[in-house]
Structure formats: structure tokens, C-alpha cells
Amino acid sequence: MLYKIIFPILLILITSCGHSDKVQEKSITFKVFSDTCPPGSKVYIAGNNKELGNWNAWRTPLSKQGDGSWSRTFKFPKGAQLEFKFTKGTWETEAVDEYGMEMSNISHTVTNDSTLTFHIINWRDQVEVQTVLSRQRFTNKAGNLELIENWKYHPGDDSTWADPDFDDSSWESASTVLDSANMPSSGWNGIGWFRLHITVDSTFWHVPLALTMYQTGASELFLDGKLLYKFGNVDSSISGEKIYWEKNPKHITFDNQRHHVLAVRYSNFSYEKIKKYNVGAGFYIALGELDTYVTDRVSHVRVFTSYQYIFSIGPIALALVHLLLFAFYPGAKENLYYAMAMALFGILSYTNFSEPFISDVGLLIKYNIIANISALFAVTFAIFTAYNSFSFKAPRYSYAFFICALFLSSLIWFSPVQYRWINFVFYSFLVLATVEIIRILVKSGLKKEFKGWITGFGLLIAILSFVYQILININILNPNGGSGVVYVYGVMVLGIAFSINLSLNFAGTQKNLKHQLVQVKQLSQKALEQERHAREEEINKRLLEADNARKTQELEEARKLQLSMLPKKIPQLPNLDIAVYMKPASEVGGDYYDFHLAKDNTLTIAIGDATGHGTKAGTMVASIKSLFNAFGGNLEITEFFQRCTTILKDMNLGNLYMAMLLLRFQNNKLIASAAGMPPVLIYKNKTGSVEELIMKGMPLGGSLDYDYKLENRNLTAGDTILLMSDGFPELFNDNKEILDYPRVKQIFAETAGGSPEEILSHLKKSINNWSNGRPQNDDITFIILKVK
């Protein structure tokens, strides 16, 4: 029976080897010389594929040579396009040029066996240059610039330290990381200020950039004396401090001047607690492309959410099934042990994939501890599952695994300072557990049938994948294909293998019950058919009720989401009265409106209608609201439309689009443009006439090259503007007749000279009169502007 185990493994190896033989590989040797590298330093290469560490600065070291160089040889497929840089183990120590600027990615196309020699002039952490934000540096850093150097620090708390003109020349230079190796010379007493002088070239003036703040405490961020953001609550004592780690990128914009000052008021009174886990007490700021950061954050959350659902709920569901099987048949202890192993794997997956959703570093540390303890006991119960699956009598030493798991768990929970020693024992435990699984597998393969060894094979793959994950975590192996998460696939194989085993056991049970089926066949066919029919009707009824309940809940959630996107209050201007109204349809649509009031009293008004219904429309509205908050008041209207279309296309939302109209009002002059929205109706008080302002345009998310047109109008006192969504002109009555735009224009003209509230009341009555009780099939939204 051993051949049944060996044959699939050999088949996989032969297949993979045969595939690799088709690709001609070339040897590339990287050789680095550097006269400025301190003694004992290591040099690393970071590049765009697995061999070069997938851009991890610390994953792929070069070897020190007798001639004073560092080198290493790799094999790449012929024609491979390589991009890489050199570091001393972190991006804070990457190679720089003679001016102290980070170098752009080095490119090389693999054609023949080659030796590439490089001379590194200096390293980022060994030069003293001003912090400069320039287009060239931004390009060299691939759109991701860490603000690491040149920070000034002073302990204590004084609000005047945010002033850009404050003289901080006497402050000490310090790292913001605040770990055991990077503490200010004056120490850290829980609260202090950091200041950074930045030179910004004109290419970044008034350009929104992404800002990410990685921190383990609480902070207030000032730019040129103005408070930009509060992350948590900074306080002079631990009782008033609230730690918060903001995971979503924020935006920052530099005014048209070269010199800027970034000041951070920062507190962290948990330093002594978290340093035991090798976690710094400080913060880390990075700037980047706003679109890229937002897209990466959305992708990161989407991937981790999927992993959490798939690899947490799946194993836990299997655990519940097997726990029930054990409850019905306690003699099959393998079901109990398997349920425990799967439940712990589910907890392990959940905690491992929670990082994007946790804003408290203390909770993140606890999750890491829980993950390690779950891993220990999951492997232990997997061993007991193997013993019982193959009807083995557990050897005396088997309980040593459980005792060792308890011992290691207590060390991990209570003794974080022994971190390296615990890690060594932890990984040794996993290796021994893997050896024991292999021993059980081989022994079962010599005397058990197919259904016995297939479970063992699944257990072996799960353990090997988990060990592979550990080797990736400690930088011994690089992940295959750039993925840093591999153990979850082993757990999936284990679940499938055990399910196959259960199916085979069920088939055997069916054979034993065959003679009982003969007795069942003697029952009345008519009675069986009636019973079957009754059960089918009951099942269909319950399924229909469940489906209706689900749809009702989805619609209610979508309606709440839609209403939450609307502004909480209407802007107040001395020369303008505003009234708004939205009537959602029975099936939630995607209407949306918003306002942005600038400091110079320029009012930007947005009204839109997303395609589709329910949560899909809600997704589009949420995206547009975020874009409007970020850019609506800063960009020209047509530029805003084009920026939205570019971002929506990058988000790959499928056939989702956003019709939208933007109107900008200042000093009784309006500027407007539309992307697939109904016309704007303008009532002229002097003439008593209604102008229909038609602006044709493609909805947002459609064509990238569409040329949107602007319309300008001068207004006088008494003039009235009506903005609306297409739910009003496309309203049907009980005779299936559409209201249409001529009637809308006439209805508006009837009360256009009145106040916004009177006009709104008249429009509402016209909705009820026309529909005559017929439910509306789309949202209806009005925005009425009256010039005073």
C-alpha cells in the first residue's frame, strides 16, 4: 500500500520538473562593492520576483566575499525582465547616489549567463540631506516615500510647537520609531513633539497625496501650524490617552511654497508593555500616490476579507459537522479530535487575517498570541486525529505533544521577553509533529486501504504547508508566486481529504444497510410519494420565506447605506435659499446628492444617480462620495469627472456607472456640467420664463476620453434653479403613462416664483397626483436653489 502514497507525490514532482525543463534558465550573478558599508553589515537585494524577494528589503541577502564584495548567483528564465535595488535590510537603509537621493529601479533583461557588478556610493541611513519632496525622488521611490530622516524631537507638550516659525534648532534629532534601538537620547516619558522640515518642489503644489500613519500610540498631525488629523486621543496621562491606528490612507496637500513644517504631537504610555513583543512605541509616516494607496487599501481589505471568510468559516463549519457526528457516535473519537483541530485552524486563520481591520496594536499583539497558541494545539489534535483514523494505539510519548503545547502556550502568554528562545522551541515542536505525522502515514500505508491513507495524506499536506508558512515567516524560504499565505491551502486539502474519507465510510455503511432498503421498498409507493411531495412543498415554502427575508434585509441595509451617504445639514449662504428632497423607491436605487462649501463661499452641489439597485448601487455611491469629499471642491468640474472615470475603471466595478451633475455657485454666477443627468431648469424672475439647460455627457465610469462641456449662467435675485434625478420625469401613472420632461417643466413653472419650500410642496403633490397610487420604480431627488 505504500506505493499509493508515494505515487501521487512522485507524479506531482515529475509534472513540475517536466514543466520547468521547457524553460531555458540562465545564471545571473549580482556582485556589489561598497566602501561605505560599515563592518559586519549585510547587503540585500530586493526585486520583482520570488528569487529576489518580491520587493521585500530583508528577504534575500548576498554573501560576503574575500575581495570585500557581496554576491549571489540566481537562475532566471531566459527573457525575464528583472528590476531590483540594494539595501542593508530595510528600505530605511537602501542604496543612494552621491547626492543622497534614492536610486531608481535597476533593470536587466536575462539573455545569457552574466555577472552584474555594482558600486554603491552610499546608503540612506549614512547620509545627511534635507527632506525633499520632488518628482524625481517620488519616481525613484515608485510613488512611495517614507518620511524617516531629519525629525526633531522635544519631550513634553506645548501647543506653540506646531507653529511653522518656531525655532527648533535646539531640539535633538531622533527617530520616530521609538523602539529599543531608536530611542531619543533624552528618553521617552510618554508624550512629546516631533517636527520635520520638508522642501516641496512646485510639481507637488496643490496636488493631493496619500498619507499613511503607522503608529502604536495616539497622535495629532499639523501641517504648517494647521491641524490636519487626529488619530486617537493624545493626552498627558495614560487614563486620557486613546490609542488608534488609522489603516485607511488620508490625503495631504502642500500649498504653493517650498518650505513646509510637519509637526506631530504624539503620546504612548504603553511603551514598557509593548516593547516586550519587539514592537516600537512610535510612528512612521509615508506619502504616496492617492489613487494607488486607495486602490491598494481596497484590494488589501477585499483579499483579507475573502481569506477570513473562506479559511475561517470553512474549517469551523467542518468542525461543527464532525462535533455533531461525535455526539451521535462517541465511539469515533477521530471526529472529536478532527473537530478540535479544524476549529483551532479556523481561529488561527481568523486572527492571522484580522490585521487590516484592527486599529489597536495591543489587540493585534493579543491576536498574534492567540494565533500561535491555536497553531500549537491544532497540530497536536491533528496528531491525535491521525492515531484514531488509522486505529492506532497512541504511544506513551503521544501525550508529550499535548504537555509541550501547554508549556509553550504558557510561555507565549506570560513570557514575551523570551521571544527568540520560545520561537526556537515552537518551531522545533512543529518539526517533531511533522515527523510523527509522516511516521503514522507511512505505517498506515503499509497495512491500510485507500480510505485510510488518504486522510493521512491530507494531514501531511496540512502540516507541511504550515511548516512552509513558518519558514517564510522567519525568512528562510521565499513564498511561491509572491503569496505570503500558504498554510490555509494545506488546511483546505485536509478538509477535502477527510471529506473523501467520510464519503467512503458512508458508502460502506450503505452496503451494510442494503437489506433494510428491501423492507422499505415494501411500503406503499403512494404513501411515500405523498410524503415526499409534502416535504418538497414544505422545503420550497421555507426556502421562499428565507429568500424573501434575505432580500428584505438586503434592501433595508441598502436603504440605510444610501441615506447615510447624504449630507447631515444644508449649507447656509446669505444670497441663496436651498431646499432638498429625496423619496427612495420601494426597491432602493442609487440617488445621491452632496454639498461642498469652500472658504470663499463657493458652493459646489452634486446630484447623481448610480446604475442598478440595492448594494451594487450603494457601492458606487460610496465610491463617488469618497471622491467628491477628496476632490469635489479642489478640481475643475470636467477634471473631476475625468478623474472619477479613471478611478472607477481601475476599480473594475463591471457594468456599474454613475450619472452625475455638478454645479458651482459663486457671486450669483453658476457653472455646471453633466454626465448623463436630466436638464437643469432655470426660472428667470424678470421674464417669468423657464429655461431648460440641457448638458449631454457620458456617465462616469464610461469613456475615458469624453469631452465634457461647461455651461455658465448669470443669475439675479428671484431666479430659481431646479436640479432633479430622472425618477421624476420617468415617473409612471396607473395607466403606464410617463410624466416626461415637458410636463415637468410646466409643473415647475406653476410655482417657480415662490419659495423653495412652496416649490417643493408643489412638486410632491404632483408626484402623488400623477402616480395615483402606483409604486414608484426609481428614487426621486430634488435640489431647489433660490437666489435672494
Side-chain angles (χ1 to χ4, degrees):
M1 286 296 178
L2 186 59
Y3 73 92
K4 292 184 178 179
I5 302 172
I6 298 175
F7 178 73
I9 300 176
L10 290 178
L11 183 61
I12 295 172
L13 292 175
I14 293 171
T15 303
S16 61
C17 291
H19 175 74
S20 63
D21 287 341
K22 297 178 182 178
V23 180
Q24 186 178 2
E25 292 188 331
K26 298 296 181 181
S27 295
I28 303 296
T29 299
F30 298 90
K31 197 174 187 67
V32 175
F33 290 90
S34 177
D35 296 331
T36 57
C37 204
S41 299
K42 292 184 179 181
V43 175
Y44 297 77
I45 186 170
N48 62 343
N49 57 30
K50 171 188 172 184
E51 287 73 16
L52 300 183
N54 292 317
W55 290 115
N56 284 299
W58 61 90
R59 183 150 279 169
T60 311
L62 305 182
S63 300
K64 187 66 179 290
Q65 304 300 316
D67 60 356
S69 67
W70 290 264
S71 70
R72 187 167 173 179
T73 301
F74 302 89
K75 288 187 177 295
F76 300 102
K78 185 177 181 180
Q81 301 290 329
L82 305 181
E83 290 190 7
F84 52 91
K85 285 187 172 185
F86 298 103
T87 76
K88 291 192 298 181
T90 65
W91 289 117
E92 292 86 344
T93 59
E94 67 176 289
V96 296
D97 60 18
E98 63 270 23
Y99 303 106
M101 180 180 291
E102 301 88 349
M103 296 183 292
S104 60
N105 294 347
I106 306 171
S107 301
H108 178 74
T109 302
V110 178
T111 56
N112 298 300
D113 295 340
S114 306
T115 296
L116 308 179
T117 302
F118 303 92
H119 294 268
I120 304 301
I121 297 176
N122 218 326
W123 305 90
R124 183 175 177 179
D125 62 320
Q126 297 175 210
V127 295
E128 294 185 4
V129 294
Q130 292 183 346
T131 301
V132 176
L133 180 57
S134 65
R135 184 62 62 181
Q136 182 61 51
R137 190 180 184 199
F138 218 62
T139 301
N140 291 354
K141 292 290 293 178
N144 181 58
L145 181 61
E146 313 94 346
L147 301 182
I148 301 170
E149 305 89 351
N150 301 323
W151 285 93
K152 295 284 190 176
Y153 165 72
H154 196 288
D157 191 17
D158 188 336
S159 60
T160 62
W161 294 345
D163 189 341
D165 297 326
F166 178 81
D167 183 9
D168 57 16
S169 59
S170 63
W171 287 21
E172 65 174 298
S173 298
S175 169
T176 63
V177 178
L178 299 181
D179 57 13
S180 57
N182 296 280
M183 292 298 292
S185 58
S186 59
W188 176 253
N189 61 2
I191 189 168
W193 282 72
F194 294 84
R195 288 169 57 91
L196 177 66
H197 295 262
I198 307 175
T199 301
V200 181
D201 69 24
S202 59
T203 60
F204 282 108
W205 292 351
H206 299 291
V207 176
L209 297 175
L211 178 144
T212 54
M213 184 83 169
Y214 307 90
Q215 65 180 31
T216 58
S219 64
E220 293 177 1
L221 186 65
F222 298 82
L223 178 62
D224 298 330
K226 297 178 181 178
L227 178 63
L228 290 185
Y229 300 107
K230 289 185 176 182
F231 301 117
N233 186 58
V234 181
D235 198 83
S236 58
S237 65
I238 191 171
S239 59
E241 180 186 61
K242 183 179 179 182
I243 292 175
Y244 182 75
W245 180 3
E246 176 59 64
K247 298 298 183 70
N248 295 319
K250 299 296 184 179
H251 74 276
I252 184 172
T253 305
F254 294 96
D255 294 335
N256 54 340
Q257 63 183 44
R258 288 183 56 80
H259 181 71
H260 296 270
V261 176
L262 199 63
V264 179
R265 180 181 179 231
Y266 187 77
S267 70
N268 190 334
F269 290 91
S270 303
Y271 167 67
E272 294 296 332
K273 180 179 178 180
I274 65 176
K275 76 175 183 179
K276 299 177 182 178
Y277 299 93
N278 292 336
V279 177
F283 63 89
Y284 168 88
I285 296 177
L287 304 179
E289 298 285 353
L290 185 59
D291 296 347
T292 303
Y293 271 48
V294 171
T295 302
D296 289 347
R297 171 62 177 165
V298 171
S299 175
H300 191 55
V301 171
R302 183 186 300 117
V303 169
F304 272 63
T305 300
S306 301
Y307 277 177
Q308 250 191 356
Y309 275 106
I310 295 172
F311 298 116
S312 299
I313 296 177
I316 291 176
L318 286 173
L320 291 175
V321 170
H322 287 276
L323 195 60
L324 290 174
L325 290 175
F326 174 74
F328 288 118
Y329 183 47
K333 291 185 178 180
E334 63 270 22
N335 283 316
L336 174 62
Y337 295 137
Y338 178 79
M340 296 297 292
M342 285 294 98
L344 289 164
F345 271 126
I347 295 172
L348 172 62
S349 299
Y350 180 83
T351 52
N352 270 350
F353 296 127
S354 296
E355 179 272 327
F357 319 107
I358 297 177
S359 58
D360 186 341
V361 68
L363 182 59
L364 197 62
I365 291 173
K366 290 180 181 178
Y367 270 34
N368 185 54
I369 293 173
I370 292 172
N372 288 332
I373 294 175
S374 299
L376 289 171
F377 284 103
V379 171
T380 301
F381 283 112
I383 293 175
F384 289 136
T385 303
Y387 287 143
N388 286 267
S389 294
F390 305 132
S391 301
F392 288 166
K393 181 180 179 180
R396 292 181 180 179
Y397 63 79
S398 62
Y399 295 100
F401 286 103
F402 189 81
I403 295 173
C404 186
L406 281 175
F407 175 69
L408 284 175
S409 297
S410 63
L411 288 179
I412 292 172
W413 188 268
F414 296 108
S415 304
V417 291
Q418 303 294 332
Y419 186 76
R420 292 184 179 178
W421 179 77
I422 293 175
N423 271 351
F424 174 77
V425 179
F426 179 84
Y427 299 141
S428 299
F429 173 84
L430 293 179
V431 171
L432 290 175
T434 303
V435 171
E436 180 65 5
I437 290 290
I438 295 173
R439 187 191 71 83
I440 299 171
L441 179 61
V442 172
K443 189 174 180 180
S444 68
L446 292 173
K447 66 177 184 179
K448 297 295 289 185
E449 55 187 0
F450 178 79
K451 67 178 183 180
W453 70 260
I454 195 170
T455 304
F457 182 74
L459 286 167
L460 176 62
I461 294 300
I463 294 296
L464 290 178
S465 66
F466 194 77
V467 172
Y468 183 28
Q469 181 71 62
I470 296 298
L471 295 177
I472 291 174
N473 292 346
I474 61 178
N475 297 328
I476 293 178
L477 294 178
N478 288 327
N480 188 21
S483 174
V485 182
V486 295
Y487 74 88
V488 289
Y489 301 105
V491 176
M492 182 178 295
V493 171
L494 174 62
I496 294 172
F498 209 92
S499 296
I500 293 174
N501 195 1
L502 286 176
S503 299
L504 294 173
N505 287 334
F506 180 76
T509 304
Q510 288 293 92
K511 292 180 181 179
N512 296 331
L513 297 175
K514 188 174 182 180
H515 68 281
Q516 298 181 13
L517 295 177
V518 176
Q519 297 177 2
V520 175
K521 290 181 180 179
Q522 296 174 357
L523 297 175
S524 171
Q525 294 296 325
K526 183 177 181 180
L528 289 175
E529 182 63 26
Q530 289 176 347
E531 183 180 358
R532 184 186 64 81
H533 184 68
R535 289 182 178 179
E536 287 181 353
E537 287 185 347
E538 179 65 21
I539 291 173
N540 290 334
K541 179 182 177 181
R542 292 184 179 181
L543 289 175
L544 182 60
E545 290 175 351
D547 188 56
N548 289 336
R550 178 185 60 79
K551 289 182 179 179
T552 301
Q553 183 180 2
E554 286 185 358
L555 289 175
E556 182 61 25
E557 291 176 353
R559 182 180 286 106
K560 290 180 180 179
L561 176 63
Q562 180 186 20
L563 296 178
S564 69
M565 296 294 174
L566 304 180
K568 299 300 184 291
K569 60 180 181 179
I570 300 175
Q572 302 294 322
L573 280 82
N575 62 334
L576 194 67
D577 284 337
I578 305 174
V580 297
Y581 171 75
M582 174 183 284
K583 184 178 181 183
S586 57
E587 182 175 357
V588 178
D591 275 17
Y592 159 74
Y593 67 86
D594 214 337
F595 302 96
H596 180 275
L597 184 61
K599 293 181 179 179
D600 61 354
N601 277 346
T602 298
L603 178 63
T604 303
I605 304 168
I607 183 172
D609 186 3
T611 58
H613 300 279
T615 54
K616 291 185 177 180
T619 300
M620 175 60 78
V621 171
S623 302
I624 288 297
K625 180 174 179 63
S626 298
L627 293 171
F628 182 77
N629 289 339
F631 307 114
N634 303 327
L635 302 179
E636 295 297 330
I637 295 177
T638 55
E639 184 181 355
F640 173 77
F641 284 171
Q642 292 165 352
R643 176 70 65 89
C644 289
T645 294
T646 301
I647 294 175
L648 292 176
K649 278 189 168 293
D650 290 341
M651 292 173 67
N652 294 322
L653 297 176
N655 293 324
L656 287 180
Y657 304 95
M658 185 73 182
M660 194 170 189
L661 184 147
L662 246 63
L663 184 147
R664 194 159 282 164
F665 181 88
Q666 185 183 30
N667 299 328
N668 289 3
K669 180 179 180 181
L670 71 83
I671 303 173
S673 184
M677 287 293 289
V680 177
L681 299 182
I682 304 176
Y683 169 74
K684 293 291 188 177
N685 185 45
K686 290 183 179 180
T687 62
S689 61
V690 175
E691 177 187 0
E692 189 175 22
L693 184 57
I694 300 175
M695 296 172 286
K696 297 181 179 180
M698 294 288 292
L700 305 183
S703 173
L704 289 172
D705 302 323
Y706 190 83
D707 185 17
Y708 293 99
K709 304 299 182 183
L710 287 173
E711 291 289 345
N712 297 271
R713 292 292 186 275
N714 292 316
L715 304 174
T716 59
D719 290 353
T720 307
I721 305 167
L722 173 61
L723 310 179
M724 59 186 166
S725 63
D726 60 4
F728 185 47
E730 295 178 3
L731 182 66
F732 285 88
N733 61 16
D734 53 348
N735 294 323
K736 298 183 179 180
E737 297 175 323
I738 193 171
L739 182 63
D740 214 350
Y741 291 95
R743 288 192 184 94
V744 170
K745 184 176 180 181
Q746 180 181 351
I747 292 171
F748 174 60
E750 292 171 356
T751 56
S755 68
E757 290 74 17
E758 292 172 343
I759 299 171
L760 203 57
S761 177
H762 183 65
L763 292 174
K764 292 179 185 178
K765 290 179 181 178
S766 65
I767 293 173
N768 296 328
N769 293 338
W770 179 259
S771 62
N772 197 24
R774 176 188 173 96
Q776 66 184 72
N777 59 349
D778 199 2
D779 295 352
I780 296 177
T781 303
F782 299 120
I783 300 179
I784 301 170
L785 310 173
K786 186 82 172 185
V787 181
K788 294 192 293 186

